[in-house]
């Protein structure tokens, strides 16, 4: 949302809607930033809505969408924060673009880890200790095996 708002502000301040400015690199990069932010928002809404309405987590789809986001924001770094991009100077757009890229990588790595290994169920996470029964049928309590 920050990337979208800051890009719209730069787009309007450069008057990119004029015919003279439409081919300017800053205006072109602003259009990319706004598009990437809108696409990212739509993609980010998909997993919670699918779980809400379908009551299922689509791990493979989440992985694919997160990789798409990493690809989009990899290009976004180049177009937005380098050269004559709208976020080339240090500011909200610069930091928001980098933060979005880093978070996209983090989410993609987490989705990949979940896809490869699956998440452990609560039964596997909680290890219950079974009593240690000796030969006479009494349970040993906290290391009192010498009873």
């Amino acid at each position: 949302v920050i990337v979208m708002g800051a890009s719209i502000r730069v787009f309007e301040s450069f008057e990119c809607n004029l015919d003279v400015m439409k081919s300017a690199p800053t205006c072109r990069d602003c259009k990319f930033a706004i598009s990437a932010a809108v696409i990212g928002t739509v993609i980010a809404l998909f997993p919670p809505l699918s779980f809400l309405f379908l009551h299922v987590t689509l791990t493979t789809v989440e992985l694919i969408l997160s990789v798409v986001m990493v690809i989009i924001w990899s290009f976004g770094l180049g177009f937005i924060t380098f050269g004559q991009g709208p976020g080339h100077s240090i500011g909200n757009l610069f930091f928001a673009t980098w933060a979005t890229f880093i978070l996209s990588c983090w989410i993609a790595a987490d989705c990949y880890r979940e896809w490869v290994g699956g998440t452990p169920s609560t039964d596997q996470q909680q290890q219950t200790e079974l009593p240690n029964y000796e030969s006479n049928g009494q349970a040993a309590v906290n290391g009192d095996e010498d009873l």
Side-chain angles (χ1 to χ4, degrees), residues 1-11 29-41 69 72-73 76-77 79-81 86-87 91-101 103-104:
V1 175
I2 295 171
V3 172
M4 187 175 3
S7 298
I8 290 171
R9 189 175 62 231
V10 172
F11 186 83
D29 295 342
C30 279
K31 291 176 188 177
F32 179 84
I34 295 166
S35 301
V38 169
I39 291 169
T41 303
M69 289 304 301
I72 288 173
W73 288 109
L77 284 178
F79 290 133
I80 298 168
T81 62
N92 288 344
L93 185 56
F94 179 84
F95 290 117
T97 303
W98 275 98
T100 305
F101 172 71
L103 287 173
S104 296

Side-chain angles (χ1 to χ4, degrees), residues 7 17 20 31 36 52 60 75 81 86 91 95 99 101 105 118 131 133 137 143:
S7 298
N17 55 351
V20 176
K31 291 176 188 177
L52 181 67
T60 305
F75 285 105
T81 62
F95 290 117
F101 172 71
C105 291
Y133 291 102

Side-chain angles (χ1 to χ4, degrees), residues 11-84:
F11 186 83
E12 289 175 347
S13 68
F14 273 81
E15 296 180 356
C16 291
N17 55 351
L18 299 174
D19 290 333
V20 176
M21 295 298 292
K22 286 188 179 180
S23 62
T26 302
C27 293
R28 185 186 64 237
D29 295 342
C30 279
K31 291 176 188 177
F32 179 84
I34 295 166
S35 301
V38 169
I39 291 169
T41 303
V42 170
I43 287 176
L45 290 175
F46 178 76
L49 290 177
S50 68
F51 184 76
L52 181 67
F53 293 114
L54 302 176
H55 303 290
V56 66
T57 303
L58 305 171
T59 309
T60 305
V61 175
E62 286 181 8
L63 176 64
I64 292 168
L65 292 177
S66 64
V67 169
V68 167
M69 289 304 301
V70 169
I71 293 168
I72 288 173
W73 288 109
S74 296
F75 285 105
L77 284 178
F79 290 133
I80 298 168
T81 62
F82 294 104
Q84 296 179 6

